[in-house]
């Protein structure tokens, strides 16, 4: 039927060979359709495909936007993670912003590819979005492509890394909230948790960089916070609630509230500002505290000014008389390290006071508050930080700064007072000249004050006892100026 050699091919013989071959395949196909079941036919067709299609060395993982009826956590994590991987080779991006967002949100456009490397291996991401059909929702997914041999590494370590990194990014983008019982706004769009707390965004600009404080003490606090965050497993192992307590004490205007804001901005923890005087009794305290959220800082300012929590023995007497309708120190201690302390995770509790000596020893006993931080009068180094904050100046570069630092070191003057002086004029020389006269005047006043105090020492003590708390926290702040210059000089000391 076929010619024996290539030389003997003629157009007519070729045509007849082609016709008979085609006839054979048509006959074979109709026999196949008539006698071979469809499943077997499909099987052979797939087998043939497998042998004929060249083998791919890569694997592509599809990450859909939704997982069942829920959002797919890996998709959301990839969306955030890939924002940080957008490089100069990307040609099309999407940008957007809601009225409440502070920053633009940038994401990759469909069809764009991003190359990422992880422990020396390369993976490729691309974003795919289906065209919108009538009545259908747009479907979006990421395709993650990598060499097949990397399958285990990508599916375990790499995806875990993507999720962890995205959590970190989320944390850094988070807007910190300030919760209070006195605020009636509770804007869910703003990410406020429910409960009986009102909430606004914490716009306090204080950070550890802007805080005028002894650098060593500042570092100790930052290290302590870092250690606390990393110790989830440790707290579990030793059977302790994952909490940390700080007692901030020192004269008015030395930065206690600023330090709390700096902590919140550093950790991206919300702040719950608890005004004890607005709480009716221990029962309400319990309800209020239980509605606080994880990763938060509970602040009780001027703890010495809550008369009920100054003396626990008196509390106990009162309790025995079934005197209800007030918050007691025992009620608070129960939440610090009593049975109720184990509620929630990653909680920080901060108490502030201007009069540590007036606190109940039960509050001060070792282990109750983990760190006692003395926020004291400004030091020369602290002044240098203020100069950089307020004048944008390296203190070493101005001839007056050295003199002021020396003066500040030997005078009891608060960072708040110096901050006020540093805002008096736009001209740096005028401002610093003003600071010199202000500090010198204070020094003089102080030396006169000491001689007067020596004469009327008993009266002054009484005054001190009566002043602080009875006038209430807010009034006390107004009095702060009058009481400037009192107290011992311990510079930002920390005790555990
Ligand atoms: N250590 C500091 N570093 C930088 N700025 C400070 C510092 N201390 C005070 N200030 C400035 O003074 C203002 C008042 O300080 P802050 O409210 O933090 O003091 P406080 O110790 O909480 O006072 P009070 O005991 O009256 O509550 C701050 O807004 C800030 O501008
Ligand atoms: Mg304060």
């Amino acid at each position: 039927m076929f010619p024996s050699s290539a030389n003997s091919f003629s157009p007519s013989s070729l045509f007849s060979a082609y016709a008979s071959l085609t006839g054979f395949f048509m006959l074979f196909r109709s026999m196949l359709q008539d006698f071979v079941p469809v499943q077997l036919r499909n099987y052979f067709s797939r087998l043939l495909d497998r042998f004929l299609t060249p083998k791919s060395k890569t694997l592509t993982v599809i990450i859909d936007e939704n997982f069942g009826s829920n959002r797919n956590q890996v998709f959301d994590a990839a969306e955030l993670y890939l924002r940080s991987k957008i490089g100069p080779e990307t040609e099309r991006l999407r940008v957007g912003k809601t009225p409440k967002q502070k920053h633009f949100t940038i994401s990759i456009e469909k069809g764009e590819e991003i190359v990422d490397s992880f422990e020396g291996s390369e993976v490729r991401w691309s974003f795919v979005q289906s065209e919108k059909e009538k009545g259908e929702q747009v479907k979006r997914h990421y395709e993650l492509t990598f060499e097949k041999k990397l399958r285990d590494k990508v599916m375990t370590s790499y995806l875990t890394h993507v999720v962890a990194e995205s959590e970190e990014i989320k944390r850094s983008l988070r807007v910190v909230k300030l919760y209070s019982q006195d605020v009636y706004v509770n804007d869910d769009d703003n990410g406020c948790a429910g409960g009986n707390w009102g909430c606004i965004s914490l716009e306090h600009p204080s950070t550890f960089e802007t805080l005028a404080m002894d650098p060593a003490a500042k570092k100790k606090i930052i290290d302590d916070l870092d250690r606390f965050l990393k110790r989830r497993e440790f707290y579990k192992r030793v059977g302790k609630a994952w909490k940390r307590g700080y007692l901030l004490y020192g004269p008015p205007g030395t930065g206690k509230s600023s330090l709390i804001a700096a902590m919140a901005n550093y950790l991206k923890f919300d702040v719950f500002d608890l005004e004890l005087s607005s709480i009716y009794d221990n029962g309400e305290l319990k309800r209020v505290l239980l509605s606080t959220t994880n990763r938060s800082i509970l602040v009780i300012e001027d703890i010495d000014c809550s008369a009920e929590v100054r003396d626990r023995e008196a509390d106990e007497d009162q309790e025995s008389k079934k005197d209800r309708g007030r918050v007691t120190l025992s009620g608070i201690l129960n939440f610090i390290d009593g049975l109720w302390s184990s509620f929630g995770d990653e909680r920080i509790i901060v108490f502030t006071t201007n009069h540590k000596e007036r606190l109940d020893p039960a509050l001060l006993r070792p282990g109750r508050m983990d760190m006692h931080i003395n926020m004291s009068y400004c030091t020369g180094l602290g002044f240098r930080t203020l100069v950089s904050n307020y004048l944008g100046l390296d203190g070493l570069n101005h001839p007056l700064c050295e003199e002021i630092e020396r003066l500040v070191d030997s005078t009891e003057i608060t960072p708040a007072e110096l901050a006020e002086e540093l805002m008096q004029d736009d001209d740096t020389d005028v401002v610093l000249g003003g600071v010199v006269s202000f500090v010198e005047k204070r020094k003089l006043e102080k030396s006169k004050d000491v001689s007067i105090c020596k004469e009327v020492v008993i009266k002054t003590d009484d005054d001190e006892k009566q002043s602080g708390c009875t006038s209430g926290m807010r009034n006390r702040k107004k009095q702060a100026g009058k009481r400037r210059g009192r107290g011992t000089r311990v510079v930002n000391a920390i005790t555990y």
Side-chain angles (χ1 to χ4, degrees):
M1 192 166 124
F2 293 106
S4 55
S5 96
N7 295 339
S8 59
F9 282 151
S10 70
S12 65
S13 65
L14 262 178
F15 181 74
S16 79
Y18 174 73
S20 50
L21 204 63
T22 313
F24 170 76
F25 275 122
M26 279 170 71
L27 186 70
F28 181 74
R29 219 174 76 177
S30 88
M31 274 169 63
L32 211 67
Q33 273 172 2
D34 290 346
F35 299 111
V36 183
V38 67
Q39 289 90 344
L40 203 60
R41 276 197 332 254
N42 286 345
Y43 172 76
F44 279 119
S45 139
R46 280 201 302 272
L47 207 65
L48 214 63
D49 267 359
R50 233 168 84 187
F51 281 113
L52 295 184
T53 321
K55 275 221 173 74
S56 164
K57 283 189 177 160
T58 61
L59 176 65
T60 297
V61 175
I62 309 294
I63 301 164
D64 283 318
E65 188 171 11
N66 293 313
F67 192 63
S69 55
N70 294 321
R71 292 233 11 126
N72 185 354
Q73 196 201 356
V74 188
F75 180 92
D76 289 339
E79 198 162 43
L80 267 181
Y81 175 79
L82 291 177
R83 269 179 217 166
S84 63
K85 298 287 165 189
I86 294 170
E89 67 287 347
T90 310
E91 287 176 357
R92 283 169 70 80
L93 294 172
R94 270 183 184 278
V95 65
K97 177 180 170 312
T98 65
K100 284 187 176 159
Q101 276 179 326
K102 275 192 177 166
H103 305 286
F104 292 112
T105 301
I106 297 170
S107 54
I108 54 170
E109 169 64 325
K110 64 182 173 181
E112 282 291 329
E113 194 178 72
I114 284 185
V115 181
D116 188 21
S117 65
F118 178 67
E119 294 175 359
S121 310
E122 191 176 88
V123 298
R124 289 171 180 273
W125 289 87
S126 62
F127 178 59
V128 182
Q129 183 174 307
S130 69
E131 290 304 327
K132 196 171 181 174
E133 302 269 322
K134 247 191 180 166
E136 268 198 13
Q137 284 224 320
V138 178
K139 289 201 172 107
R140 308 186 313 148
H141 71 258
Y142 282 105
E143 290 187 0
L144 173 61
T145 306
F146 47 88
E147 281 184 44
K148 278 182 178 156
K149 62 177 184 195
L150 299 173
R151 194 175 118 167
D152 285 348
K153 186 173 173 182
V154 170
M155 300 303 268
T156 51
S157 331
Y158 180 64
L159 287 182
T160 310
H161 158 78
V162 170
V163 173
E165 284 279 303
S166 75
E167 288 298 319
E168 195 52 44
I169 295 169
K170 224 188 282 174
R171 202 165 75 83
S172 69
L173 292 176
R174 210 169 160 266
V175 177
V176 177
K177 306 283 176 327
L178 173 63
Y179 288 84
S180 164
Q181 295 277 298
D182 312 327
V183 176
Y184 298 104
V185 189
N186 201 339
D187 186 354
D188 273 341
D189 282 359
N190 224 9
C192 292
N196 31 17
W197 295 83
C199 136
I200 54 167
S201 298
L202 176 75
E203 306 278 1
H204 203 297
S206 174
T207 62
F208 279 111
E209 284 79 43
T210 62
L211 203 64
M213 203 176 165
D214 172 49
K218 200 188 287 188
K219 185 173 181 309
K220 242 181 191 165
I221 298 170
I222 297 174
D223 289 349
D224 193 73
L225 292 172
D226 287 340
R227 209 173 315 118
F228 170 72
L229 279 192
K230 283 193 220 134
R231 288 190 142 184
R232 173 194 284 273
E233 291 310 316
F234 168 84
Y235 278 90
K236 218 190 251 174
R237 202 173 63 239
V238 299
K240 252 177 93 112
W242 192 10
K243 282 195 171 59
R244 196 106 182 120
Y246 299 91
L247 172 71
L248 315 186
Y249 65 98
T254 48
K256 296 179 292 302
S257 302
S258 306
L259 174 57
I260 296 170
M263 283 171 150
N265 287 329
Y266 180 73
L267 297 171
K268 297 282 176 188
F269 276 21
D270 291 336
V271 175
F272 285 83
D273 182 16
L274 181 63
E275 180 87 59
L276 280 183
S277 57
S278 66
I279 306 287
Y280 177 65
D281 62 5
N282 283 346
E284 192 189 350
L285 178 71
K286 207 176 282 175
R287 277 192 299 280
V288 163
L289 291 181
L290 284 175
S291 62
T292 57
T293 53
N294 284 345
R295 298 177 73 84
S296 65
I297 304 179
L298 173 72
V299 178
I300 304 183
E301 292 245 43
D302 302 270
I303 183 88
D304 57 294
C305 291
S306 309
E308 293 83 355
V309 301
R310 280 161 62 181
D311 185 353
R312 193 161 59 147
E313 281 172 21
D315 283 355
E316 282 158 4
D317 288 352
Q318 295 295 327
E319 286 282 327
S320 62
K321 286 180 215 155
K322 297 273 180 287
D323 179 9
R324 286 166 183 269
R326 63 201 196 92
V327 179
T328 62
L329 181 57
S330 321
I332 295 174
L333 294 183
N334 223 351
F335 269 88
I336 298 176
D337 56 7
L339 275 181
W340 285 92
S341 67
S342 55
F343 86 102
D345 270 337
E346 285 188 281
R347 307 290 186 118
I348 286 177
I349 300 173
V350 181
F351 290 154
T352 73
T353 178
N354 298 133
H355 301 278
K356 189 184 178 194
E357 71 287 352
R358 292 182 184 170
L359 295 182
D360 187 309
L363 204 57
L364 299 174
R365 83 160 166 71
R368 195 137 258 166
M369 298 312 277
D370 300 286
M371 240 187 184
H372 293 188
I373 302 170
N374 185 5
M375 299 298 288
S376 193
Y377 297 105
C378 199
T379 60
L381 276 181
F383 178 71
R384 208 176 285 179
T385 308
L386 291 177
V387 165
S388 146
N389 292 349
Y390 287 83
L391 306 179
L393 190 78
D394 181 346
L396 294 174
N397 292 339
H398 198 283
L400 278 181
C401 281
E402 203 180 317
E403 183 189 346
I404 300 175
E405 284 179 23
R406 208 170 18 80
L407 278 169
V408 166
D409 263 330
S410 57
T411 316
E412 289 177 347
I413 198 157
T414 64
E417 291 170 303
L418 288 169
E420 224 169 280
E421 283 304 311
L422 287 169
M423 289 193 295
Q424 294 300 319
D425 202 287
D426 288 336
D427 187 313
T428 306
D429 296 330
V430 174
V431 169
L432 291 176
V435 175
V436 173
S437 344
F438 178 74
V439 183
E440 276 175 341
K441 196 168 151 224
R442 167 56 52 81
K443 234 180 148 172
L444 204 67
E445 278 170 10
K446 181 72 189 147
S447 58
K448 282 183 192 161
D449 210 20
V450 168
S451 54
I452 295 167
C453 281
K454 274 180 189 159
E455 288 162 30
V456 290
V457 67
I458 297 168
K459 195 174 170 224
T460 312
D461 270 348
D462 285 348
D463 279 355
E464 272 287 83
K465 272 180 192 142
Q466 280 165 18
S467 61
C469 302
T470 46
S471 46
M473 186 173 101
R474 313 225 183 271
N475 288 343
R476 190 181 46 69
K477 279 181 182 150
K478 284 184 200 149
Q479 295 172 1
K482 292 182 200 157
R483 287 185 282 124
R484 279 173 198 157
R486 298 224 174 102
T488 45
R489 184 185 184 85
V490 185
V491 181
N492 300 140
I494 294 184
T495 47
Y496 294 87

